[in-house]
Amino acid sequence: MNLFGSYDVVVTGAGSSGIVAAIRAAREGARVLLLEGTGFLGGLITGGRLTKPTGLINSKIFEEMLDRCVAYRGADGRIRESYWGKYTGTFDAEVMQRVIIEMVEESGVEVLLRANVVQTVTKDGAVHGLLIRTKSGESLVLAKAFVDASGDGDVAALAGARFMLGREGDGMTQPITSYFRVLNVNVPALIADCEANRVDMWEVVYPKEAGNRNEDYAMAVLLTGFQQRIKDKVAEGFDWIIPKDHITMKTGLIPGEISVNVTRYQGNGLDDRDLSRAEIEIRKQAYCAFDFLQRYVEGFEDAIFLEVAPKLGVRETRRVTGHYILTEADVRGNGRFDDAIGLCNSPVDVHEPGGSRAIMDHVGIGYGIPWRTLVPLDVDNILVAGRCISVDAIAFGSTRNVPACTMTGEATAIAAALAAKRNVPTSAITASEVQARLKELGVWLGTPGEDIPDVLRQAS
């Protein structure tokens, strides 16, 4: 077997959680390898065009990433507020890609793209290596500690960790989606349309000081609604093939650029046939939605269809069972935990499995994410970060979003780097050690008695 290399920390998955984990682990002194199955870095925040964090960013690495995007004039650094709570402003996907490459290279992380993990090497219940497959063939990667930031919990599952999948009862998961982008939209006319039909809009967020130029609205508009309009036009004969009853859209960096979130395909994100079918059906749905917008929404008359996001938006797959399962009651009840590693205010964002509805429920000042949710049962020397952490199906509606993903990435990186430095398994690293380092960095933890950040004091 060809030995690709030996490392302190190996991170699998280069989405938002994996990028943060790799950079933080390297900055903590670890020799890091970042494995990614696609040909680009960033996952959904770049290739998926998921450019609006749903909630406030509380990861210092990701905060720096956003600051660098602002410096490149590729992000709106202001705090915005929707009906579901406060969130950190929008960024441009390609500017973010540039920043990621810079920060990864500056930190000394080694990156291997188009690499898939096919097997784990375990001994006495602990992970010591990964068998990877690339264009060059199969190779062995060894490390002292591992972070599974794959989103799907692939590595933890291969190592034998228990996991949950879907909601109780029928096991159905939230549907798959993709953004599509449109250019040459008359944004002032679009906002005027939404204001004139305010009863049909759930949210209309835009800078009130803006004028009549598209430039005034770049990366600063969030619109959700059109439910009654869809219903009315379907009754009149429009062939709406999308199993979703509303549309969400946001402005991008380019004046007149709109990203639309409306597509929905019910399938298993772990099944090759479902994923292939989703790629095709979602494009058909995007074309349908574009036709609808051109015909029935002001501002889209001269719009140009630019693209469907190249990275498929798989919302939900495995949730690796940890030493604690974060619950819906914890999230809705502003839960505080002695071992919390990050305060998260992301709403409960659930797209109805098998249906057309969605909920976005405010969680107020937020809840703490317990360290125990990042530590799998059954297997040692591997930690999970991102959307595959240990939560129930409704709590997942909040933790699957970028703020929680980046917080968990940062926390697991600190622990993995510590374990590698001491040459001990990750189970030997305590929550208090991770918390101490996060406090030094200025992260809000979500522990009992912790001061509430000023930005959240006015949350209802």
Side-chain angles (χ1 to χ4, degrees):
M1 177 64 64
N2 175 58
L3 178 63
F4 183 84
S6 297
Y7 301 85
D8 294 324
V9 176
V10 170
V11 178
T12 54
S16 60
S17 55
I19 290 294
V20 167
I23 294 170
R24 173 55 68 198
R27 289 187 179 182
E28 297 297 301
R31 182 175 180 235
V32 179
L33 174 66
L34 176 60
L35 297 171
E36 166 58 33
T38 70
F40 60 89
L41 299 173
L44 288 179
I45 64 171
T46 56
R49 312 305 190 233
L50 181 63
T51 56
K52 177 188 63 61
T54 306
L56 294 171
I57 293 302
N58 189 18
S59 155
K60 292 305 168 180
I61 293 292
F62 199 78
E63 188 177 282
E64 181 182 337
M65 290 162 63
L66 287 173
D67 288 344
R68 291 195 185 201
C69 286
V70 171
Y72 280 123
R73 296 187 295 179
D76 172 18
R78 294 167 288 183
I79 301 297
R80 297 289 184 180
E81 189 162 7
S82 178
Y83 70 94
W84 45 257
K86 296 182 179 180
Y87 63 96
T88 306
T90 307
F91 54 89
D92 178 74
E94 197 57 43
V95 174
M96 178 60 77
Q97 180 87 230
R98 178 180 183 178
V99 166
I100 289 171
I101 292 171
E102 287 180 354
M103 291 179 65
V104 163
E105 291 187 344
E106 288 169 5
S107 65
V109 172
E110 183 178 350
V111 174
L112 184 63
L113 300 176
R114 298 184 176 88
N116 294 298
V117 178
V118 295
Q119 188 177 328
T120 59
V121 178
T122 59
K123 181 181 179 181
D124 298 327
V127 180
H128 295 280
L130 305 176
L131 181 63
I132 63 171
R133 181 176 291 126
T134 68
K135 188 71 172 176
S136 303
E138 292 188 346
S139 299
L140 180 65
V141 173
L142 300 176
K144 296 178 180 178
F146 298 84
V147 174
D148 185 344
S150 64
D152 296 327
D154 288 333
V155 181
L158 283 170
R162 277 176 273 176
F163 60 86
M164 301 162 278
L165 182 64
R167 64 186 179 188
E168 290 187 19
D170 59 13
M172 291 185 71
T173 57
Q174 293 193 48
I176 299 167
T177 189
S178 284
Y179 273 98
F180 69 89
R181 288 201 296 164
V182 177
L183 298 181
N184 205 39
V185 176
N186 183 334
V187 179
L190 168 62
I191 291 172
D193 183 313
C194 293
E195 288 287 14
N197 294 277
R198 199 64 174 81
V199 69
D200 194 26
M201 299 300 299
W202 304 357
E203 60 184 336
V204 181
V205 178
Y206 63 93
K208 298 300 189 281
E209 71 279 5
N212 292 317
R213 304 182 313 148
N214 276 341
E215 290 86 344
D216 299 334
Y217 299 91
M219 295 187 295
V221 175
L222 180 61
L223 308 169
T224 301
F226 306 98
Q227 191 174 36
Q228 188 60 48
R229 199 173 317 192
I230 293 170
K231 185 177 180 180
D232 290 345
K233 299 308 176 184
V234 169
E236 293 173 11
F238 183 82
D239 186 17
W240 180 260
I241 66 171
I242 308 167
K244 187 174 181 180
D245 62 1
H246 62 282
I247 303 171
T248 295
M249 60 182 75
K250 60 187 177 182
T251 50
L253 177 62
I254 302 169
E257 173 193 351
I258 294 283
S259 289
V260 182
N261 182 355
V262 66
T263 61
R264 177 175 284 189
Y265 181 82
Q266 190 63 54
N268 181 354
L270 301 175
D271 184 278
D272 288 337
R273 284 190 171 91
D274 277 358
L275 290 171
S276 293
R277 195 64 202 164
E279 296 277 12
I280 295 169
E281 291 300 323
I282 280 172
R283 278 168 172 74
K284 290 161 61 177
Q285 292 178 17
Y287 306 144
C288 170
F290 178 69
D291 291 346
F292 178 90
L293 293 169
Q294 278 205 306
R295 294 182 196 180
Y296 304 123
V297 178
E298 293 183 21
F300 281 88
E301 295 86 351
D302 298 317
I304 301 167
F305 192 104
L306 177 63
E307 67 166 4
V308 174
K311 172 75 172 176
L312 192 64
V314 178
R315 286 192 175 96
E316 180 180 6
T317 53
R318 299 183 189 94
R319 307 186 312 275
V320 177
T321 305
H323 289 261
Y324 182 78
I325 299 174
L326 188 73
T327 68
E328 176 184 1
D330 294 331
V331 170
R332 294 188 185 276
N334 297 154
R336 295 292 183 272
F337 300 91
D338 290 333
D339 66 336
I341 52 79
L343 179 65
C344 181
N345 80 318
S346 293
V348 175
D349 177 7
V350 178
H351 293 252
E352 182 184 23
S356 62
R357 300 173 299 172
I359 62 170
M360 289 280 283
D361 290 345
H362 193 4
V363 299
I365 60 175
Y367 58 92
I369 300 174
W371 170 249
R372 290 163 290 165
T373 63
L374 316 184
V375 184
L377 291 174
D378 312 313
V379 60
D380 198 1
N381 217 34
I382 184 169
L383 301 166
V384 294
R387 63 177 172 86
C388 58
I389 68 171
S390 180
V391 298
D392 72 19
I394 301 300
F396 174 80
S398 176
T399 60
R400 71 182 180 86
N401 289 296
V402 169
C405 288
T406 52
M407 277 184 275
T408 56
E410 194 141 14
T412 53
I414 290 168
L418 270 175
K421 182 178 182 179
R422 296 176 186 172
N423 203 26
V424 297
T426 54
S427 58
I429 306 303
T430 65
S432 60
E433 292 177 290
V434 178
Q435 290 173 313
R437 180 62 178 135
L438 290 169
K439 284 181 180 179
E440 289 178 358
L441 294 168
V443 173
W444 318 321
L445 297 181
T447 52
E450 183 183 41
D451 286 341
I452 300 171
D454 289 341
V455 71
L456 289 174
R457 288 185 186 278
Q458 303 303 316
S460 57

